[in-house]
Amino acid sequence: MPDVMTLRLIIDDPVPGVRYSLQKDDLPFEPRTAGEGPLAFELPVTVHPDGRLTGPFVRREGAERRFVYIRIGTSAGDHAAAWSRRAKIDIHDIPHALRLPGARLEVHLPGRGKDGSPACATVRPVTAWRPV
């Protein structure tokens, strides 16, 4: 029987004034506008006995890759924003030893690209997944 764990995604340096949200079922979920500090999102993920990760926030590519999207700017519902982006956060690479029912894991993410605009496409964590 599958069970649930919680993932916490922390954007360390989001662009202030830009709206961010999780993507749930292909729609923005609980959008919020970034301030001067970090921005965190928590989401439930179903952990199956075989280690697969699923749920309404989880997307997939192929048989193995699982990820979640963070929507940015117009994608997060701010139609006046200068950006329309999504950041793809891989979760298939969470170590199997951490994929435990009831676990709470967090990861820190960069919020900006090299040009200072919101990070997008596949965003690599600045820290490894860790239990909290």
Side-chain angles (χ1 to χ4, degrees):
M1 169 149 260
D3 212 336
V4 175
M5 69 180 187
T6 302
L7 301 181
R8 186 168 196 239
L9 310 172
I10 302 169
I11 303 170
D12 286 335
D13 60 345
V15 177
V18 174
R19 186 176 298 170
Y20 293 79
S21 75
L22 289 172
Q23 178 173 306
K24 180 180 181 185
D25 298 325
D26 294 326
L27 297 170
F29 180 78
E30 297 183 353
R32 58 191 85 151
T33 302
E36 293 298 325
L39 188 60
F41 294 97
E42 288 196 2
L43 60 135
V45 175
T46 302
V47 182
H48 295 265
D50 63 0
R52 283 180 305 120
L53 303 174
T54 63
F57 295 97
V58 178
R59 301 286 164 260
R60 59 181 260 179
E61 285 179 3
E64 299 295 321
R65 189 174 192 190
R66 300 288 186 274
F67 57 92
V68 297
Y69 277 126
I70 296 175
R71 291 173 160 252
I72 304 161
T74 60
S75 292
D78 181 359
H79 301 293
W83 297 286
S84 183
R85 297 181 175 179
R86 290 189 302 183
K88 184 184 285 189
I89 314 304
D90 285 325
I91 62 171
H92 65 274
D93 53 3
I94 295 173
H96 281 266
L98 297 178
R99 297 183 190 189
L100 303 171
R104 296 180 59 81
L105 306 177
E106 79 175 21
V107 69
H108 287 260
L109 304 163
R112 302 178 197 215
K114 291 179 183 177
D115 65 355
S117 68
C120 63
T122 299
V123 174
R124 302 287 179 214
V126 294
T127 63
W129 288 98
R130 69 178 190 93
V132 291

